[in-house]
Each structure stands twice: as C-alpha cells, then as structure tokens.
Amino acid sequence: MSNSALLLFITLVLVAVMWLLALRRIVVVDGANKGLAISGALTMVALFVVDSALGMSGVLGRFERVPPNVAFFMFAHFALAAGIAFSRLGTTLMQALSYRALVGFQAFRIPTEVMIALGVAEGIAPPQLSFHGYNMDLVPAVLAALLFLSGRENRKLVLAWNGLGWITLGNIFFIAMTSFPVPFRVFMNEPTNIWVTRFPYVLLPGVLVTSAVTGHLLVTRKLRAETRAPVTPHALPSSAARQPS
C-alpha cells in the first residue's frame, strides 16, 4: 500500500470517529434522537460502500461523454451534503454541537492535504491539486485546528473562517474539474485528475469533500439561525420537556 493510500485510510477513520462522536452527542443531549443517530451512522456506511464500488467499477473513469460521469458523481455528493445538512439530522447536529466542535471537525483536512501532496510525490496526482500548487485548503484546515485548541467561541471568527473555507472549497472544486481529461480542461500538465475516479482515492471527493461541505453548511445554518434568533449554545429540548405533563 502506498503512503498516500495509507494516510487516506487513516483520515477516513478519523472522520468516521468524529462523525460517530457527533451522533453520540445528540443521543446524550436527547435520548429520543437515537433513531436519528442510527440513520446517520448507516448513511456514512452506505457512502463508503457505494463510493468504493463506483471506484472499483471503473465507471467514473469514462471521459468520452460531456459532462463526464465523475461530474455527476461530484454534484450528487454536493446534493447529499445539502440533504444531510438541511435534514432533521442536520438541524439536530447544528443545535447540539458548539461552534468549537463544528469548526474543529474540519481539522481532518490537514492530513487530507498531506495525503494529496504524497499523491503528487508518487506521480498519481496533479501538482495543482496540492498546497504546492493552487490548493489553499490547508489554510482553513490549520485555522480550524487552532480555533478548536483555543477553546474560543467567537462568532465573528467563526463567520470569517467559514467564508474562507467556502472560498477554498470552491477553488479546489474548479481546479479538480478542470484537471480532468475533458474538452474544458484548463490544466494541461500530466498526470490528469483521474486518480480520484479510482479506489481508494475516489473516497477523497466521495467521503472527505462531502464531509467538509456538510460541515460548512452546518456552520452556515447555525450562524444564520443565531442571527435571526439567538439561542443558548449546545441546547436541545429534552424528550422529557416535550412530553405533556
């Protein structure tokens, strides 16, 4: 197993653990949400299985059609991220988790960026996708870790960080799409970006990018909700409080 693949699997385990901890949190805050937590865990398992199967099948590596299959794959995952973030599960996570937890989660992008750099060194990833090229995603990743370690819940800092994170995600999405072997390709250097269409690297856009987008959407929702009607941090109505006396 290559170093980049090994670090990818380590990062995936890290993300899965943090996701399970977040689901556990909503059960601890409100035991009535056990069903939501189970559905969230099953969603993560399904994402791993389906993306792995697609990467092994080779269907994502077919670029004879425009847009290519991988474009539908990526847009479908953005839709999935939005579906999770705006679902009942997303609302519950937004309310149960602090800004510190939501932002700190995004520190998983640090090993992700190192993994991409290893892929470049191994000759399988295009250099423009790494922090040696035009990928600035390491900046919000490091800031996420620093904000988490500081223990601060400064809303203005979170707002600025979230905006920066959206910009860097949009930037890497453009670089990734225009590095594929397609007619609208912008980056003409080799190798092309076909590595993310194959297992295990398909889990980079499939699981890791989807997780990053979901996390940013949850922070965005929390910021907007507290702008309209400030709420008590970490508070969720208990199941007992919802029961008639």
Side-chain angles (χ1 to χ4, degrees):
M1 180 182 294
S2 66
N3 290 332
S4 61
L6 177 60
L7 185 54
L8 172 61
F9 284 121
I10 292 173
T11 307
L12 289 167
V13 171
L14 175 64
V15 169
V17 169
M18 290 192 292
W19 178 245
L20 291 175
L21 288 174
L23 296 175
R24 180 178 180 273
R25 168 65 182 168
I26 67 174
V27 175
V28 169
V29 173
D30 186 353
N33 287 310
K34 186 176 181 180
L36 275 181
I38 293 173
S39 66
L42 291 176
T43 298
M44 175 61 74
V45 171
L47 189 60
F48 273 89
V49 172
V50 172
D51 287 350
S52 297
L54 287 172
M56 293 176 182
S57 71
V59 67
L60 298 178
R62 299 173 185 168
F63 290 93
E64 62 272 12
R65 59 180 296 175
V66 179
N69 292 335
V70 71
F72 292 106
F73 172 84
M74 296 181 77
F75 280 111
H77 282 69
F78 288 144
L80 174 63
I84 294 172
F86 287 92
S87 68
R88 184 183 165 206
L89 173 61
T91 299
T92 307
L93 287 169
M94 175 195 72
Q95 294 174 341
L97 300 175
S98 65
Y99 282 125
R100 182 174 179 240
L102 288 170
V103 173
F105 168 74
Q106 301 275 359
F108 80 83
R109 287 150 74 174
I110 296 176
T112 299
E113 293 307 310
V114 176
M115 182 271 295
I116 295 173
L118 288 174
V120 173
E122 293 164 0
I124 59 175
Q128 62 270 17
L129 282 178
S130 76
F131 50 72
H132 294 300
Y134 302 105
N135 185 351
M136 301 178 292
D137 210 45
L138 187 61
V139 176
V142 171
L143 290 176
L146 293 175
L147 284 171
F148 177 80
L149 293 173
S150 73
R152 300 182 66 182
E153 288 275 323
N154 188 305
R155 189 176 180 280
K156 290 183 179 179
L157 284 177
V158 173
L159 180 63
W161 171 86
N162 199 46
L164 176 63
W166 278 123
I167 291 171
T168 60
L169 280 177
N171 173 64
I172 194 60
F173 175 73
F174 173 79
I175 296 171
M177 292 299 297
T178 55
S179 295
F180 288 124
V182 290
F184 53 85
R185 182 178 173 186
V186 173
F187 296 93
M188 306 306 293
N189 56 287
E190 296 295 335
T192 61
N193 194 26
I194 60 173
W195 72 310
V196 296
T197 67
R198 302 167 179 165
F199 181 81
Y201 301 103
V202 67
L203 298 172
L204 168 58
V207 175
L208 299 184
V209 174
T210 302
S211 298
V213 173
T214 303
H216 274 293
L217 286 172
L218 290 176
V219 172
T220 301
R221 287 197 64 196
K222 192 174 184 72
L223 288 167
R224 291 186 62 187
E226 294 190 1
T227 297
R228 288 193 291 249
V231 297
T232 303
H234 324 305
L236 269 183
S238 68
S239 56
R242 291 197 301 266
Q243 296 297 325
S245 56

